[in-house]
Amino acid sequence: MKALEERIKQDGVVLSGDVLKVDQFLNHQMDPDLMFEMGQEFAHLFQNQGITKILTVESSGIAPAIMTGLQMHIPVVFARKHKSLTLTDNLYSSSVFSFTKQTENQITVSQKYISTDDKVLIIDDFLANGQAVFGLIDIAKQAGIELAGVGIVIEKSFQPGADKIKAQGIQLESLARIKSLTDGKVTFMDEH
Ligand code: 5GP
């Protein structure tokens, strides 16, 4: 998505450890117009597949997921990372190692909000090693639901997650694909 790539070039900051900081429009301050366009793009990429629900993980997956849900007119469920007093039993859960925090998190979804007749689209903000996505896929498997595919805002294609997802025959659509973050510079896959 051209507008997203341009925004990354303009406002993205490369941190050490192959981390891209996009707090200006995605992970802290958010740009609703750009986010709306992302929702349109995901809805287009996954149209006519009979998708009934979007699954993401809090917190940064929620904004692109809700914009996609808005376009597709389907509910959005986000996996929680923290224990909730109001959400205690009948949970699906999976263990996810956080790329940015370097800690192990338990992510959970209430069994009430996904069921065997759902077909889900997984959406997240970043794809690095694939831990977050595979945690969500694990939850989808536990619930016995069909997976339509995975939509990612920013894929770091030089890290293993993308290949691991595609190797399983899962449709992966990423709005920006980064080839490298070498020397503090963002290079996209379609750049020479
Ligand atoms: P993975 O689970 O694929 O290893 O990493 C994806 C998760 O880690 C995303 O949900 C995102 O929150 C975070 N993440 C991974 N790489 C980056 C990055 O370069 N920048 C930011 N802001 N978050 C990242």
Side-chain angles (χ1 to χ4, degrees):
M1 202 179 112
K2 208 72 220 156
L4 174 63
E5 290 191 358
E6 280 165 11
R7 193 59 178 274
I8 293 170
K9 284 274 189 199
Q10 186 186 304
D11 294 318
V13 177
V14 179
L15 304 181
S16 61
D18 283 331
V19 173
L20 176 67
K21 192 173 157 90
V22 285
D23 277 15
Q24 212 270 357
F25 62 93
L26 182 64
N27 291 135
H28 194 15
Q29 174 171 269
M30 292 186 276
D31 180 333
D33 289 302
L34 184 63
M35 212 68 93
F36 186 79
E37 246 187 273
M38 293 178 197
Q40 287 179 317
E41 190 67 21
F42 281 132
H44 172 71
L45 291 164
F46 290 99
Q47 68 186 346
N48 304 328
Q49 294 197 25
I51 295 167
T52 60
K53 211 155 269 189
I54 293 175
L55 185 59
T56 187
V57 56
E58 68 176 348
S59 52
S60 295
I62 296 177
I66 195 91
M67 288 299 184
T68 311
L70 180 69
Q71 294 295 326
M72 299 175 93
H73 305 289
I74 53 173
V76 177
V77 179
F78 67 90
R80 292 177 181 251
K81 282 180 182 160
H82 306 284
K83 286 210 171 71
S84 161
L85 287 175
T86 56
L87 196 72
T88 48
D89 40 34
N90 301 325
L91 302 172
Y92 296 114
S93 72
S94 190
S95 189
V96 168
F97 186 78
S98 164
F99 181 84
T100 43
K101 299 194 180 76
Q102 296 284 304
T103 54
E104 191 89 17
N105 278 318
Q106 203 67 19
I107 61 165
T108 55
V109 172
S110 167
Q111 294 184 2
K112 206 163 129 192
Y113 296 117
I114 43 176
S115 61
T116 44
D117 45 7
D118 274 321
K119 183 168 181 181
V120 295
L121 168 61
I122 290 174
I123 297 274
D124 203 9
D125 62 336
F126 269 90
L127 177 60
N129 294 325
Q131 283 277 315
V133 166
F134 279 105
L136 293 170
I137 291 175
D138 181 30
I139 284 177
K141 279 189 183 148
Q142 290 172 41
I145 55 184
E146 194 183 343
L147 176 65
V150 175
I152 297 289
V153 177
I154 304 176
E155 170 190 311
K156 292 185 291 179
S157 312
F158 58 91
Q159 290 175 328
D163 286 341
K164 283 200 277 186
I165 293 168
K166 285 185 278 190
Q168 296 207 0
I170 296 165
Q171 181 185 353
L172 171 67
E173 302 287 356
S174 304
L175 304 186
R177 298 172 67 228
I178 295 177
K179 184 158 70 181
S180 87
L181 294 173
T182 311
D183 299 328
K185 186 174 173 285
V186 181
T187 310
F188 295 104
M189 289 298 275
D190 49 13
E191 257 181 280
H192 302 290

